[in-house]
Amino acid sequence: YYCPPGTVNPAQYACPAGTYSDSTSLVNLNGCSRCPAGYTCGVATTTSTLVECSRGHYCPEGTALGHDSPCPAGRYSNSVQLTSATECSICPAGKYCLGGNKTESGVCPTGHYCPLGTSYSTQYACPAGTYSGSTGLYAASQCLTCQAGYYCPAGSSQMSGCAAGRYSSANGTSVASCLQCSAGYNCPALSTHETACGVGYYSAPGAATCSICPLGYYCGSNTTSLSSLSTGGGSWSKASDPSGMCFNGTYCSQGMKRAPDLLRD
């Protein structure tokens, strides 16, 4: 304590938090000393009542409370009496440290990796086109390459299959949508390539399966599209069109695989 002129009792003026004093003859606040580094000083502290800096924190000179200066994110400490942030331990590889704790905060989650000094669980995502179902990774190179027929946005913990009507022919697909199947082809779920419909069948863009050529039309191409049925054929002048509408005076049954002619149709 300190006692300026007019003091009524010896405990009237306490050295404030962050300071201490062992002297019995102080007359003003300036006589209180700054709390030593590595310790905390509450109100009216003496050397005998100094408190060690808390685990997970550090205490520079003049610290009032043990939780004033937590170890920064990416570090932790199980030691007491630390005096600076650099004395906090760096978070080990494969784990993350939120800061202010005496131990690591947790193991790196799936879909991510945690190099030395990682601050939070999702700080480093497996790059787009890769994934990981394992925990505790510490390098991007440990993430697995997404396989053809699947796609993997950044931070994926598993591969996502291309939906029916779409495909992915390359490894490492990163977009959330696989490529749309072209007209005249079909793409079942998890397709790695487009498959031609074949003669007698047709499809629209994004088809999971091909449809049989309808009555009144012919599908003479391996890749007949829905649009070509309405734009192709329809007259003898367009008899060379591989697909389209039946010509005048001819009949096209379901699944017709060639252009009609007067001899057979």
Side-chain angles (χ1 to χ4, degrees), residues 3-157:
C3 299
T7 298
V8 175
N9 65 72
Q12 186 173 355
Y13 299 100
C15 285
T19 67
Y20 77 105
S21 176
D22 291 330
S23 176
T24 58
S25 59
L26 298 186
V27 296
N28 56 50
L29 176 63
N30 293 333
C32 302
S33 302
R34 285 171 59 82
C35 194
Y39 293 88
T40 64
C41 299
V43 175
T45 295
T46 64
T47 299
S48 63
T49 58
L50 291 174
V51 178
E52 292 179 328
C53 196
S54 305
R55 288 178 171 84
H57 298 76
Y58 65 96
C59 298
E61 189 179 55
T63 298
L65 298 173
H67 298 289
D68 281 353
S69 302
C71 286
R75 291 177 178 264
Y76 74 101
S77 178
N78 192 35
S79 300
V80 295
Q81 296 185 28
L82 299 190
T83 62
S84 68
T86 57
E87 293 179 332
C88 299
S89 301
I90 296 177
C91 201
K95 297 185 178 181
Y96 64 95
C97 300
L98 299 174
N101 294 317
K102 62 182 180 180
T103 60
E104 305 94 342
S105 299
V107 177
C108 204
T110 59
H112 296 78
Y113 64 98
C114 298
L116 281 171
T118 297
S119 299
Y120 55 94
S121 61
T122 57
Q123 185 174 1
Y124 301 99
C126 281
T130 67
Y131 74 100
S132 175
S134 300
T135 59
L137 301 190
Y138 54 84
S141 60
Q142 293 177 297
C143 301
L144 304 175
T145 300
C146 204
Q147 301 300 302
Y150 296 83
Y151 65 94
C152 301
S156 293
S157 59

Side-chain angles (χ1 to χ4, degrees), residues 145-152 159-179 187-194:
T145 300
C146 204
Q147 301 300 302
Y150 296 83
Y151 65 94
C152 301
M159 298 188 296
S160 299
C162 291
R166 295 183 175 274
Y167 73 100
S168 170
S169 59
N171 292 333
T173 297
S174 59
V175 294
S177 295
C178 300
L179 299 175
C187 300
L190 308 184
S191 288
T192 59
H193 61 277
E194 299 175 300

